[in-house]
Amino acid sequence: MTARITAPLGVGIVGANPTGSWAAAAHLPALAQLPEFRVTAVATTNRASADAAAEATGARHAFTDAAQLAAHPEVDLVVAAVKSPGHGEVVRAALAAGKHVLCEWPMGTSAAEATELTSAAVAAGVVHAVVLQGYHSPSVNYVRDLLAADRIGAVSAITLIAAGDPFGGSSIRPELAWTTDPGKGSGLLTIMAGHVLGVLEHLAGELTEVSAVLATLHDELTVLGTGRTVPNRQPGQLAVVGRLASGAVVAVTVHGGHADAPHGFALYIRGTQGTLTITPVQSGMYPHWADWRVELRGNEGAVSDLQIPDHYRGLPSTLPAGPIAHVAGVYRETATAIVEGRSAHPDFTVGLRQRRLLDAVAAAAETGLRQQVTVL
């Protein structure tokens, strides 16, 4: 590992456009509440937006080139918050400069690229982390601990139903029209199913085998508000069945659409001594964003609502519930890993595992054959 760095850590965000970017919606509000960080540099693809981003964030330095940002001495942590086709370039620039790196999900556009980036990050000896923010949800971690403590006995079956909006419908937002090409690495399978399956594996352990159906119901999509259409080669509906290493059976459905926000999700975890029924507290959020409402039903029929203990909520209370708080959890874990000289969790090896799982799902859907999930 690299030498320990005294906080606050200087953060350089690539993809920090102040208008309409994920960085502006989640990363920057999260960082604003974390005293262990300061945003020292931003980068976008053109000078005007880079300067606007610097003004909006108070960053001292603005760039149009990821390599220049990564090389700056006031940047300790490089964040890849650009569109997925650009993740690899930003990560490579960070590693070439010997900087710690945080990469948005998905980590590259393919398993081959994810393998390359993981190998390079491990060899560089820096802290590397991937934004699978469900790993830092207080609700997710509380339920994970319940399962580990055998609160419902041995887990026998898990059913998860989740929405994939805004992917999978007959229309698409203009800012997402580029995602209709599977080669760009973003869509219902990679983004939505990637996060959903990441939460599931963090809760209950790794999937060892999968069968799947993927459906592309719309070969052409209407671009909302423009009157034009674009060809579409992305699947919009997904059903997965599989088995965990523990032997438990899993059924996951991710159904696509083009609603402004997802309608919610439902998660059922059946154990030998009871069942957990989990739904979102806030409407319009994904499993990796929402606070969870957790109901325990024992085999004898008694029902109780389980409250998330306060000690699972270690972040500032000023953080708004939802994705901002969970992204803040990723940042805090990354800072702690840097200070302690250890690996972050989830790191690139976890991201690569998720990418290989998605490839197994795609192969199962294409061949109609059950797939074993590649172990790292």
Side-chain angles (χ1 to χ4, degrees):
M1 287 291 181
T2 56
R4 298 182 182 186
I5 300 173
T6 302
L9 294 158
V11 180
I13 301 181
V14 184
N17 194 314
T19 305
S21 70
W22 178 241
H27 286 255
L28 291 169
L31 286 166
Q33 300 293 324
L34 298 175
E36 55 264 60
F37 293 101
R38 58 189 174 94
V39 179
T40 55
V42 292
T44 68
T45 55
N46 67 75
R47 174 51 56 186
S49 63
D51 289 342
E55 182 176 359
T57 61
R60 295 176 57 186
H61 310 285
F63 300 95
T64 58
D65 179 80
Q68 291 179 354
L69 176 144
H72 197 280
E74 292 183 17
V75 172
D76 302 309
L77 173 68
V78 177
V79 178
V82 294
K83 295 176 181 177
S84 53
H87 289 173
E89 177 185 356
V90 177
V91 170
R92 293 182 192 100
L95 298 179
K99 301 298 176 68
H100 306 295
V101 61
L102 176 64
C103 184
E104 258 297 343
W105 179 260
M107 201 176 70
T109 58
S110 66
E113 185 173 41
T115 300
E116 173 212 334
L117 297 177
T118 301
S119 297
V122 171
V126 299
V127 170
H128 43 93
V130 62
V131 187
L132 287 166
Q133 63 262 42
Y135 279 65
H136 297 284
S137 159
S139 301
V140 173
N141 285 316
Y142 172 58
V143 173
R144 170 185 165 93
D145 288 348
L146 289 178
L147 300 183
D150 290 330
R151 183 68 179 273
I152 59 170
V155 174
S156 55
I158 299 176
T159 301
L160 175 55
I161 304 167
D165 306 83
F167 300 107
S170 60
S171 60
I172 196 163
R173 299 174 190 168
E175 68 272 19
L176 295 174
W178 62 275
T179 67
T180 59
D181 177 1
K184 299 293 180 63
S186 289
L188 180 133
L189 175 63
T190 50
I191 300 289
M192 300 311 178
H195 279 293
V196 165
L197 293 174
V199 165
L200 188 149
E201 288 202 324
H202 183 55
L203 279 176
E206 293 185 345
L207 283 155
T208 57
E209 58 184 59
V210 292
S211 300
V213 174
L214 279 165
T216 303
L217 303 180
H218 307 286
D219 296 329
E220 194 172 71
L221 304 184
T222 300
V223 181
L224 292 170
T226 69
R228 66 186 179 94
T229 60
V230 292
N232 175 55
R233 295 188 290 118
Q234 287 277 37
Q237 308 295 330
L238 169 65
V240 178
V241 295
R243 190 185 300 273
L244 299 177
S246 66
V249 173
V250 169
V252 177
T253 302
V254 182
H255 48 89
H258 51 258
D260 287 339
H263 71 271
F265 61 90
L267 171 60
Y268 307 94
I269 307 175
R270 176 67 176 176
T272 56
Q273 299 175 26
T275 300
L276 295 175
T277 298
I278 296 165
T279 53
V281 172
Q282 305 98 340
S283 62
M285 288 195 180
Y286 305 104
H288 55 288
W289 284 8
D291 293 329
W292 289 5
R293 182 178 293 109
V294 183
E295 177 191 276
L296 170 62
R297 178 181 291 271
N299 287 344
E300 74 289 349
V303 177
S304 58
D305 291 325
L306 304 183
Q307 302 301 314
I308 313 300
D310 288 342
H311 69 263
Y312 283 90
R313 307 180 190 279
L315 293 167
S317 59
T318 49
L319 283 162
I324 294 173
H326 296 166
V327 168
V330 178
Y331 274 103
R332 175 149 290 176
E333 161 64 10
T334 303
T336 303
I338 291 171
V339 171
E340 294 180 353
R342 60 168 174 82
S343 298
H345 188 68
D347 64 6
F348 281 17
T349 65
V350 175
L352 177 56
R353 153 74 196 187
Q354 286 298 305
R355 187 72 218 201
R356 289 179 173 172
L357 171 59
L358 295 179
D359 277 6
V361 168
E366 181 178 356
T367 64
L369 301 174
R370 184 182 305 174
Q371 301 290 313
Q372 302 298 312
V373 182
T374 301
V375 177
L376 294 178

